Amino acid sequence: MTNLTNTHTMQIDKILLPENVILQRVQELGCQITNDYHGKDILLICILKGALVFLADLMRNIDANFDLDFIQISSYGNRTESSGIITFHHEFTTDVSGRNVLIIDDIIDSGLTLHYLREYLLSRNPLSLRTCVLFDKPARRKKHVEINYVGFEIPDDFVVGYGLDFNEKYRGLRYIATLK
Ligand code: IMP
Ligand code: MG
């Protein structure tokens, strides 16, 4: 069990979702994706860095052939609000044309990042394009984005843990928490 008195967890306010609840839901998402893509090959594109932990658990619950690639793209500076400016830090190498592409992201907030990435991928002619996010914060949406798989809808709080950071910290927490 994680010790909340460790210095790296001193700024944690409250636990929003404990590990067992997250893992149960990730398993359900994996089943749903397995059923929906029955008999098809998938290309998973994981958005670094936040979706890394989610991806690791999700892919072990997808019973299908898939390839894996990564992209690092962000609309965040060091603040807790979207800058609206999309920056590429790492570009994927797989040819997406004719592929069943499934984007894996940690959280959708303003929608700017996923809206941009979906347009970018669509211009490269995938056979299909779907999006899976673990968390949806609908309160601050600026761009409508079609999301096909959502783990949890959460309130408009800044959350950390299970891959999500604040200033690159807290990614290793096994749970999802709010900060003080
Ligand atoms: P959007 O472009 O505003 O939808 O921002 C999406 C990205 O911002 C996510 O992929 C996260 O990396 C980051 N983000 C948004 N909300 C949170 C949060 O509550 N905690 C940590 N990162 C967040
Ligand atoms: Mg992200």
Side-chain angles (χ1 to χ4, degrees):
M1 186 56 204
T2 311
N3 181 358
L4 283 181
T5 61
N6 284 345
T7 48
H8 75 287
T9 53
M10 258 164 47
Q11 296 307 314
I12 297 298
D13 183 18
K14 65 172 193 289
I15 296 177
L16 206 64
L17 294 163
E19 184 179 20
N20 63 326
V21 174
I22 300 171
L23 293 181
Q24 168 67 38
R25 184 66 188 128
V26 172
Q27 206 176 340
E28 288 170 10
L29 288 173
C31 283
Q32 212 183 326
I33 291 166
T34 301
N35 292 334
D36 290 357
Y37 285 88
H38 185 76
K40 294 177 183 161
D41 285 352
I42 315 172
L43 171 59
L44 299 176
I45 296 186
C46 171
I47 308 185
L48 294 171
K49 305 172 193 168
L52 183 67
V53 178
F54 175 38
L55 171 80
D57 286 334
L58 182 68
M59 65 189 238
R60 287 176 289 177
N61 283 286
I62 297 177
D63 187 9
N65 280 327
F66 59 79
D67 291 0
L68 182 58
D69 211 338
F70 296 91
I71 193 168
Q72 193 178 355
I73 175 179
S74 64
S75 71
Y76 262 57
N78 282 335
R79 292 160 296 125
T80 57
E81 215 173 310
S82 178
S83 66
I85 299 161
I86 310 290
T87 317
F88 274 81
H89 308 283
H90 171 80
E91 169 73 284
F92 55 83
T93 51
T94 312
D95 181 3
V96 305
S97 74
R99 307 294 303 270
N100 293 302
V101 176
L102 179 58
I103 301 170
I104 309 293
D105 203 4
D106 49 1
I107 185 166
I108 178 166
D109 184 20
S110 72
L112 293 170
T113 309
L114 279 174
H115 174 78
Y116 182 89
L117 183 61
R118 283 183 55 88
E119 294 297 312
Y120 180 82
L121 288 170
L122 283 171
S123 73
R124 283 162 171 70
N125 301 312
L127 184 60
S128 68
L129 179 63
R130 289 187 175 183
T131 304
C132 173
V133 299
L134 186 54
F135 303 110
D136 181 5
K137 279 202 290 197
R140 294 201 306 178
R141 195 77 90 252
K142 289 183 186 145
K143 277 273 183 201
H144 170 77
V145 185
E146 188 190 335
I147 305 291
N148 308 91
Y149 305 96
V150 177
F152 303 90
E153 205 172 280
I154 60 170
D156 183 17
D157 285 322
F158 196 82
V159 295
V160 295
Y162 198 72
L164 286 85
D165 73 306
F166 175 64
N167 282 348
E168 296 299 324
K169 299 289 185 294
Y170 309 108
R171 293 191 196 277
L173 299 179
R174 292 172 175 272
Y175 47 83
I176 285 287
T178 53
L179 293 176
K180 281 175 190 147

